[in-house]
Amino acid sequence: KGLQEDVVWREDVLPFIIQYPDNMREIWHYCFTEILNNAIDHSSGTNVVITLRKTAINSEIMIYDNGEGIFKKIQRELNLLDERHAILELQKGKLTTDPDNHTGEGIFFSSRLMDDFYIFSNGTSYSHNLEDDNDWILEKEVYKNGTGVFMTLRNNTSKSIKKIFEEYASKKDDYGFNKTIVPVRLAQYGEETLVSRSQAKRLLARLDRFKTVIFDFKGVNHIGQAFADEIFRVFKNQNRHTDILHINANEEVESMIMRAILVEELSK
């Protein structure tokens, strides 16, 4: 009660990294305060534990709260299928259960600013690793209660907040957050094949808020005709202000996508 993330940053975390370059401190300032504020405002917890660790190579911060659990809360607040669907929504960005007070950008950008970024909650975890550009869902027997966020950043990183933000924004839109990359494999929930319109609609939820959507099919070996049609014809027709692109599709997936696009072209 009464905890303020900026006070914790200034009194306890900044002295820990004060000797490092400006860009590194700025990244930690953004990520630490965003994640701790999430715990304060959203977790419904009563306690938070913050662990700092520094080596000659990198710095690590872990923030753990004893609240409801981030994935469970998102699932409940947004009436989602299950907690794994909550992870998919986090990956898209612009997700918040309190839109009047939060933009939903904190976790999205923090995960991309860090070298390693993990969220553990209720036996499930989310990770975004910039080394291999992977996002994945892992079933874990740790952090069964509450939420743990683990972040690592190299001490001599060349990254900057400006570079990362510009990757997902444009000058013509006043640098608004208007682009997202969606790893389609997150919708598979394990070995589930992506064939139905319902699956596609879950993947497409809230994507009409972006001007550019890039579907990354890395790790997806097969999609059905209805799944492809819902994304590349139906959704595209309903959201003409949104550019729909795709990358990393294998030959079979590309064939299904092209079929849906061709049907759209022939209907004009």
Side-chain angles (χ1 to χ4, degrees):
K1 184 177 180 180
L3 187 64
Q4 298 177 11
E5 69 274 7
D6 64 315
V7 175
V8 180
W9 162 260
R10 184 173 61 254
E11 295 183 353
D12 299 305
V13 182
L14 181 57
F16 175 74
I17 59 169
I18 192 65
Q19 74 272 33
Y20 292 123
D22 291 346
N23 66 313
M24 188 264 206
R25 296 199 308 270
E26 288 171 358
I27 290 173
W28 269 125
H29 186 191
Y30 176 87
C31 296
F32 176 81
T33 54
E34 284 286 344
I35 300 305
L36 181 55
N37 179 260
N38 279 343
I40 294 170
D41 286 357
H42 300 305
S43 71
S44 301
T46 58
N47 192 34
V48 64
V49 177
I50 300 168
T51 302
L52 313 176
R53 180 174 181 266
K54 183 169 58 179
T55 71
I57 298 173
N58 58 35
S59 301
E60 302 171 356
I61 296 180
M62 191 276 289
I63 301 174
Y64 170 75
D65 69 70
N66 65 346
E68 177 181 9
I70 183 173
F71 307 136
K72 183 177 180 180
K73 180 179 177 66
I74 292 172
Q75 178 196 1
R76 177 176 57 79
E77 292 279 350
L78 302 185
N79 194 29
L80 301 177
L81 183 66
D82 61 23
E83 292 186 18
R84 292 172 298 179
H85 190 179
I87 296 173
L88 173 59
E89 293 304 309
L90 276 176
Q91 161 59 28
K92 296 174 185 177
K94 291 189 179 181
L95 176 68
T96 178
T97 56
D98 184 13
D100 290 337
N101 298 302
H102 292 268
T103 63
E105 298 179 6
I107 289 177
F108 183 92
F109 283 110
S110 294
S111 69
R112 282 145 181 82
L113 285 162
M114 288 289 126
D115 294 322
D116 291 296
F117 183 92
Y118 303 90
I119 303 176
F120 302 95
S121 182
N122 296 330
T124 301
S125 67
Y126 161 78
S127 172
H128 182 82
N129 188 319
L130 292 181
E131 292 297 328
D132 57 11
D133 200 28
N134 272 336
D135 290 88
W136 65 93
I137 298 171
L138 305 170
E139 300 297 333
K140 294 287 186 181
E141 292 302 318
V142 294
Y143 296 100
K144 290 186 177 180
N145 300 303
T147 301
V149 180
F150 177 82
M151 300 176 283
T152 302
L153 183 65
R154 288 187 296 273
N155 297 331
N156 64 346
T157 183
S158 61
K159 290 184 291 187
S160 71
I161 289 179
K162 182 175 183 292
K163 289 179 182 178
I164 297 298
F165 273 60
E166 285 182 347
E167 184 178 346
Y168 295 92
S170 65
K171 292 181 180 179
K172 66 179 181 180
D173 296 313
D174 296 323
Y175 293 101
F177 177 22
N178 53 33
K179 170 184 158 185
T180 189
I181 302 174
V182 182
V184 179
R185 65 187 178 278
L186 288 186
Q188 292 181 126
Y189 299 162
E191 299 300 322
E192 188 176 5
T193 304
L194 299 171
V195 297
S196 71
R197 293 189 186 275
S198 294
Q199 289 171 315
K201 288 175 182 177
R202 287 199 295 269
L203 186 71
L204 293 166
R206 301 186 307 105
L207 292 181
D208 58 344
R209 303 180 185 184
F210 297 90
K211 291 194 174 182
T212 301
V213 177
I214 302 173
F215 292 100
D216 185 353
F217 283 89
K218 182 179 180 181
V220 177
N221 296 322
H222 171 77
I223 61 173
Q225 181 273 329
F227 182 87
D229 185 70
E230 189 68 29
I231 295 172
F232 294 97
R233 187 183 66 82
V234 177
F235 179 80
K236 189 172 182 179
N237 272 337
Q238 294 172 348
N239 299 275
R240 295 190 177 275
H241 65 284
T242 302
D243 293 327
I244 308 297
L245 308 172
H246 67 279
I247 57 175
N248 296 324
N250 65 22
E251 186 175 348
E252 182 178 350
V253 171
E254 185 72 24
S255 176
M256 279 294 182
I257 294 172
M258 289 299 103
R259 179 179 176 183
I261 293 175
L262 181 60
V263 169
E264 166 63 14
E265 292 296 325
L266 292 176
S267 67
K268 292 180 179 179

